[in-house]
Amino acid sequence: MTGLLFAAPATALVAVFVLYPVIGTFRISLTDWDGFSPDRTFIGFANYSSMFADSVFWDSVGRNVLYIAGLFVAVTIGFLIAVLLWTRPRGWVVFRTVFLVPEMMGASIVGIIWLQLWQPVSGGLAAIGKALGIPFLASSPLANPQWAIIVLVLTQVWASTGFYVVISLGGLQNIDPNLLDAASVDGASRLQRLWHVVIPQMRPYLALMTMLAGIAGLRAFDLVWIMTAGGPGNATQLLGTSAYTMAFSRNEFGQAGAIAMTIVVLALVFTAITGRSNTRES
């Protein structure tokens, strides 16, 4: 009973600010509603049927998968940087802080900064591209349907790596030094100690970062919306931006609710798979 009482406030907050909106969104997804009319026409799962038949939806899913893959790269880079900082080289505290700055700024500010850098006329990268004769930089790739999503993913990797550096450093502080000393005495190289001693003890943290990266990739919105708003055309349209466009540009709140519920379901499935694999490894 004591444990339940301590958990009750957090449970109430989750119920009010998470569960209730999710249930409300699901109810909206079963209707034909423009967001303004007091009447909502119940149409069952028709929104889901039309969503699954829409090629734009499946293209958005593919881009979200690419986004998640990019965040997995950020997890890997963050972990490797943390391993280097773990040895506490000179100035390691400064580096740790610098890597975290993009995450502290927030996706909106990061998006504005990189959008200005990629401007084809006044952007700093465009000037560098013209000076060095690099066409890719000289003409903003954000206007290129083939390169825009790649630029967004790379920007997200740059912005997110520091977050995973900090989590990895927290996990590395709990590594048993006796195991490292024993492996060193047995003649294990640094790479062998990393692979056979450090990584096995870091699996819970790696699983946590993988789960967070997957959810962040599914929920991606603000950085993409600020830099491209899903364009050019639909070249950078993700599930989040598609739901926003459906709701506030086309006034199709039922269709937007169906997309939002798809994001919720995919996030839950990914979390369950990640948690189950981590439990098996443990």
Side-chain angles (χ1 to χ4, degrees), residues 227-243:
M227 294 186 67
T228 63
N234 290 319
T236 59
Q237 202 76 270
L238 303 181
L239 290 175
T241 58
S242 294

Side-chain angles (χ1 to χ4, degrees), residues 64 67-75 163-164 207-219 270:
N64 272 98
Y67 221 85
I68 293 173
L71 286 169
F72 286 167
V73 172
V75 170
F163 175 69
Y164 301 117
L208 172 64
M209 291 188 291
T210 301
M211 181 182 67
L212 293 176
I215 295 175
L218 289 170
R219 294 175 57 250
F270 185 84

Side-chain angles (χ1 to χ4, degrees), residues 10-191:
T11 303
L13 289 174
V14 171
V16 172
F17 294 104
V18 178
L19 295 181
Y20 179 74
V22 168
I23 294 173
T25 301
F26 177 68
R27 293 175 60 185
I28 291 174
S29 71
L30 301 178
T31 63
D32 181 11
W33 185 45
D34 61 4
F36 300 97
S37 173
D39 299 324
R40 303 180 185 181
T41 305
F42 179 79
I43 58 175
F45 290 92
N47 286 321
Y48 292 89
S49 299
S50 60
M51 178 185 68
F52 291 133
D54 189 1
S55 61
V56 175
F57 167 77
W58 291 110
D59 291 339
S60 299
V61 172
R63 296 187 195 99
N64 272 98
V65 172
L66 179 62
Y67 221 85
I68 293 173
L71 286 169
F72 286 167
V73 172
V75 170
T76 304
I77 296 174
F79 173 69
L80 294 178
I81 292 175
V83 170
L84 294 176
L85 295 178
W86 184 39
T87 60
R88 298 199 174 187
R90 181 177 298 179
W92 74 279
V93 176
V94 176
F95 285 112
R96 181 185 62 183
T97 305
V98 169
F99 283 124
L100 190 59
V101 167
E103 183 69 25
M104 295 170 61
M105 288 192 300
S108 299
I109 297 176
V110 169
I112 293 173
I113 292 173
W114 280 98
L115 180 61
Q116 295 301 317
L117 289 174
W118 284 115
Q119 288 298 317
V121 178
S122 60
L125 293 175
I128 294 175
K130 292 176 182 178
L132 299 179
I134 304 176
F136 175 77
L137 295 178
S139 58
S140 176
L142 289 177
N144 189 323
Q146 297 180 345
W147 286 103
I149 187 63
I150 302 299
V151 172
L152 291 176
V153 171
L154 292 177
T155 304
Q156 187 66 65
V157 170
W158 176 85
S160 303
T161 297
F163 175 69
Y164 301 117
V165 170
V166 173
I167 294 181
S168 298
L169 278 174
L172 290 170
Q173 305 306 315
N174 297 320
I175 298 295
D176 189 352
N178 295 324
L179 294 178
L180 290 172
D181 294 339
S184 179
V185 170
D186 290 339
S189 64
R190 289 185 178 181
L191 184 59

Side-chain angles (χ1 to χ4, degrees), residues 220-235:
F221 171 78
D222 38 13
L223 180 69
V224 178
W225 189 259
I226 287 173
M227 294 186 67
T228 63
N234 290 319

